[in-house]
């Protein structure tokens, strides 16, 4: 065994699972997750403007997975919010971020942006 001169440095390696990378959840999949009362989904808007939808996945002894935060695709969640399919709760404001509880809309509503009728007429 060799001794190392100088102070020891710890290297933290982050584990990135590729198992879920191939999955691309659709709007219906995300609505199912958001509508589950046992799954609390949040939107975090950081001071720099970065947005992240996520939920806590508890540990599942059967599969040996979980006990981590799971990020949802921001673009699909933003689309669901813009179309009125999901709603945001009251903001919890911190010095570096604002957090909203995400929930399903009670009733479908009209999109926030009006549709361009000129594109529909051909």
């Amino acid at each position: 065994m060799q001794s190392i001169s100088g102070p020891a440095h710890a290297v933290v390696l982050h584990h990135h699972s590729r198992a879920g990378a191939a999955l691309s959840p659709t709007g219906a999949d995300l609505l199912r997750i958001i509508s589950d009362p046992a799954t609390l989904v949040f939107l975090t808007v950081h001071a720099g403007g970065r947005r992240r939808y996520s939920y806590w996945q508890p540990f599942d002894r059967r599969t040996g997975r979980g006990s981590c935060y799971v990020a949802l695709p921001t673009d699909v969640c933003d689309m669901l919010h813009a179309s009125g399919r999901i709603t945001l709760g009251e903001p919890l404001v911190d010095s570096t971020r604002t957090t909203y509880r995400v929930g399903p809309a009670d009733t479908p509503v009209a999109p926030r942006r009006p549709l361009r009728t000129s594109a529909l007429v051909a």
Side-chain angles (χ1 to χ4, degrees), residues 29-46:
D29 295 330
L30 295 179
L31 280 174
R32 199 171 308 117
I33 292 169
I34 293 169
S35 298
D36 182 5
T39 305
L40 302 177
V41 179
F42 295 94
L43 166 63
T44 304
V45 182
H46 295 271

